Amino acid sequence: MYLQETVEKLVPDIEINEIQLNAHLPISPEKYEQFKKQTEIDEIMQRLKKTTEDGWPQKKELPEEIKLYWQVKNEITCIDNLMYKGLKLIIPERLRKEMLQLIHETHMGIVKCKTRAIEFMCWPGMMSDIQDIVEKCDTCAVNNKEPMITSKLPDRPSSKQAADLLNQRRTLFANS
């Protein structure tokens, strides 16, 4: 004897139609539309979308540009015509240079630029692209050579307090 499958809704008043995956992205509506448009015209993004929707074949059957996503294939989704790897937006080819400039505009060095980028976005080779742009930057080269200024340790707790007023977070995807 088999149990019948339950077909009733457990919570009939609540329907979940879509996941708001983009709610965490610091992105303006205009920039969001730009990402959608660039994703729609990017051949690689469209092949990735089709591969994700149709199912992943064997790695050897994939085009070279899609093989780059093979290791993370289970994390890739398409929502509202944008491609995501987990919660990170996969940046279309034409917008990568602009994103690199936004990531690097504070000249905070390789580690901070990488940390800033991996919060919200990704593309194959992003870390090496960030490293290249920072290493070629004259401003970053000068900033990295400044010695660390040490100060005398305070004699008692709270006798010396400080705040870093210049280290402010900026929205990565805000209109420029």
Side-chain angles (χ1 to χ4, degrees):
M1 184 159 114
Y2 295 101
L3 295 174
Q4 285 187 327
E5 183 179 348
T6 304
V7 292
E8 66 183 289
K9 289 184 177 181
L10 297 177
V11 184
D13 296 338
I14 299 175
E15 285 196 30
I16 301 173
N17 294 325
E18 61 184 63
I19 299 170
Q20 292 294 322
L21 196 55
N22 63 354
H24 78 288
L25 294 175
I27 188 169
S28 68
E30 296 82 15
K31 198 58 98 170
Y32 185 80
E33 289 303 317
Q34 182 185 14
F35 277 101
K36 284 176 61 174
K37 181 181 177 189
Q38 290 300 322
T39 300
E40 289 172 12
I41 63 174
D42 188 297
E43 290 181 29
I44 295 172
M45 291 293 105
Q46 290 308 304
R47 285 188 203 147
L48 183 61
K49 179 181 175 184
K50 183 168 178 20
T51 303
T52 302
E53 290 171 350
D54 295 347
W56 288 78
Q58 295 297 317
K59 185 176 181 179
K60 62 186 175 191
E61 299 171 16
L62 291 170
E64 287 302 314
E65 63 271 6
I66 303 301
K67 282 183 183 178
L68 298 171
Y69 296 94
W70 176 261
Q71 288 184 322
V72 294
K73 67 180 186 250
N74 295 329
E75 297 177 57
I76 296 177
T77 56
C78 179
I79 297 175
D80 197 23
N81 290 322
L82 290 173
M83 299 303 297
Y84 292 88
K85 176 193 168 263
L87 295 174
K88 299 172 189 174
L89 185 62
I90 300 174
I91 307 297
E93 181 86 33
R94 290 185 181 175
L95 295 174
R96 291 176 186 173
K97 187 173 182 178
E98 179 183 343
M99 293 299 104
L100 282 171
Q101 290 171 347
L102 287 172
I103 293 164
H104 178 245
E105 72 183 353
T106 58
H107 301 282
M108 297 299 286
I110 293 171
V111 174
K112 286 195 178 184
C113 285
K114 286 180 177 181
T115 302
R116 186 176 188 199
I118 62 174
E119 287 184 65
F120 307 109
M121 66 181 92
C122 68
W123 67 80
M126 181 178 79
M127 293 302 173
S128 61
D129 291 347
I130 292 170
Q131 185 155 344
D132 289 345
I133 196 169
V134 174
E135 286 176 349
K136 293 175 183 173
C137 176
D138 293 334
T139 304
C140 290
V142 170
N143 288 345
N144 287 338
K145 291 181 182 177
E146 290 183 20
M148 186 174 190
I149 301 170
T150 58
S151 59
K152 184 182 167 207
L153 291 173
D155 296 337
R156 55 186 171 29
S158 301
S159 65
K160 183 175 182 180
Q161 296 179 350
D164 186 355
L165 301 175
L166 299 176
N167 191 11
Q168 299 174 352
R169 289 186 66 172
R170 294 202 53 201
T171 303
L172 289 177
F173 299 109
N175 282 340
S176 302

